Amino acid sequence: MSAHIRPDLDVIPAYVAGRTQPGVVKLASNETTFPPLPSVAKAIAEAAEQVNRYPDNSALELRTAIAEFHGVEVANVAAGCGSVAICQELVQITCLAPTDEVLFAWRSFEAYPIVAQVAGAKAVQVPLDGEYAHDLDALAAAVTPNTRVVIVCNPNNPTGTALGAAAITRFLDAVPADVLVVLDEAYYEYMRLDDQPNGVELGRDRPNVLVLRTFSKAYGLAGLRVGYAVGAPEVITALMKVHIPFSVNRVAQAAAIASLEARHELLERTDAVVAERDRIRDALLAAGYQVPVSSSNFVWLPLGARSAEYGEASAEAGVLIRPYGADGVRVTAGDPHENDLFLSFATAPETVARFLG
């Protein structure tokens, strides 16, 4: 007789990461192609010499650095093994009954329905609008007495669309104060909006607003897994109660602190990524693709039922991209020569005729 496993796990999909294939360009996982700065690499090497010792479970030095960066108290900051780990912990601290709802737009980050269902909560999806962006009015209207968490991914993964501060503010004002609103800003550093939203600022006078940020994207620490949350002290205290002990390792903490110290140099790199992102979009638009405006480090091609086929054709051409069911494909902005290889495939007359004709 085998061990008893929760039967509902049979219908919960496992998270699927972007494909990796030796010798093939990978534009499937929203990583930065820039290596760590020398100062960050030095901090990593020094921390690696101490991995025989447990890390600080409270990540106090890192949380202090993050608090100083944002102008908040340490009590307002939690650290986690990537922001997605904190996202799962947020569901754990808010949802208890099977009727408790986690509300989010769809399509959005594929981990949201997984973390909701793993916690035994009900995942409620609200369709994106016609521009592949959050329909905030529909999202607010979908809140019920059972809603415990609303997640807004801004910029949205995988479509890249972003909403400005005024729209986010109106939405926050429309959500009941006892519902936790999570602003997932994993791609915040790539936004270039005139009405730039900053969840930390928007949440200063709203105890039900929590912001997620990560060191995986613009800071280039995807392989070390460290993210953080900024929110009300009572939410942070609850998060730390369900935090997996020592899950933010010593090397990750040291690298994140060093990255914050070098943040101006690191964030200057985002300008090059943004320029490549826009270059990719312009070339695809000129070839006849529909591509929503992106505020992230990737572009979205809403290819519908042809998405999987398109992804395989791109892989055969030497570039791995990320298909999403029957919705579309996401293409990360990589180095210029990598982007050129993708564009040579995407804009080739035979590709355009096959997928857009």
Side-chain angles (χ1 to χ4, degrees):
M1 181 179 293
S2 60
H4 177 73
I5 304 294
R6 284 171 46 184
D8 64 315
L9 292 182
D10 290 340
V11 298
I12 298 177
Y15 179 83
V16 178
R19 291 168 57 188
T20 298
Q21 185 176 323
V24 177
V25 168
K26 183 182 180 184
L27 301 179
S29 293
N30 296 346
E31 303 148 323
T32 180
T33 57
F34 295 110
L37 293 174
S39 61
V40 178
K42 180 181 178 182
I44 291 172
E46 291 175 351
E49 295 178 355
Q50 304 176 60
V51 294
N52 57 307
R53 302 291 187 182
Y54 283 111
D56 174 11
N57 186 48
S58 67
L60 182 59
E61 186 179 358
L62 172 58
R63 291 168 56 224
T64 299
I66 294 168
E68 291 175 354
F69 173 52
H70 286 294
V72 299
E73 300 298 321
V74 176
N76 295 108
V77 179
C81 185
S83 57
V84 67
I86 302 176
C87 189
Q88 181 158 327
E89 293 164 358
L90 286 167
V91 180
Q92 289 178 298
I93 68 171
T94 54
C95 298
L96 183 61
T99 54
D100 290 341
E101 297 174 350
V102 179
L103 183 63
F104 50 88
W106 197 253
R107 185 173 281 270
S108 193
F109 184 32
E110 64 269 31
Y112 297 154
I114 297 173
V115 299
Q117 292 173 272
V118 166
K122 181 179 180 182
V124 180
Q125 301 176 358
V126 176
L128 298 172
D129 66 18
E131 301 299 319
Y132 308 100
H134 279 64
D135 186 337
L136 292 181
D137 290 338
L139 201 61
V143 174
T144 74
N146 291 326
T147 304
R148 299 292 175 261
V149 186
V150 181
I151 307 175
V152 178
C153 190
N154 196 50
N156 186 47
N157 177 20
T159 64
T161 52
L163 299 167
I168 296 291
T169 299
R170 287 193 298 272
F171 172 74
L172 295 177
D173 289 342
V175 176
D178 62 345
V179 174
L180 182 67
V181 179
V182 177
L183 300 178
D184 186 346
E185 296 183 338
Y187 299 92
Y188 176 81
E189 292 82 5
Y190 299 107
M191 279 198 287
R192 301 292 189 273
L193 301 183
D194 293 333
D195 185 23
Q196 184 90 346
N198 183 326
V200 175
E201 298 303 321
L202 294 175
R204 285 188 187 275
D205 57 352
R206 293 178 172 88
N208 69 319
V209 173
L210 181 134
V211 178
L212 293 177
R213 297 276 181 92
T214 183
F215 288 94
S216 293
K217 311 304 182 198
Y219 288 93
L221 300 182
L224 287 177
R225 310 305 306 127
V226 55
Y228 64 92
V230 179
E234 56 269 26
V235 179
I236 300 301
T237 298
L239 279 174
M240 297 182 76
K241 290 181 178 179
V242 300
H243 170 78
I244 297 175
F246 307 115
S247 59
V248 186
N249 69 69
R250 178 182 291 274
V251 177
Q253 291 186 39
I257 292 168
S259 293
L260 276 178
E261 292 172 352
R263 61 184 176 272
H264 299 297
E265 186 175 358
L266 279 168
L267 296 180
E268 283 178 1
R269 295 174 166 186
T270 62
D271 290 336
V273 175
V274 167
E276 280 299 294
R277 174 199 73 197
D278 293 344
R279 181 175 75 89
I280 295 169
R281 180 173 184 265
D282 290 343
L284 291 171
L285 288 173
Y289 288 84
Q290 181 183 6
V291 191
V293 175
S294 176
S295 289
S296 55
N297 66 333
F298 52 84
V299 296
W300 174 250
L301 308 183
L303 294 171
R306 306 296 300 277
S307 299
E309 182 185 357
Y310 189 91
E312 288 303 318
S314 180
E316 290 172 4
V319 183
L320 296 176
I321 57 177
R322 183 70 180 269
Y324 285 82
D327 292 328
V329 298
R330 188 190 68 194
V331 184
T332 305
D335 288 335
H337 74 278
E338 295 175 325
N339 303 330
D340 287 342
L341 184 59
F342 168 71
L343 288 174
S344 68
F345 155 74
T347 63
E350 59 270 24
T351 302
V352 172
R354 177 179 173 185
F355 293 99
L356 303 183

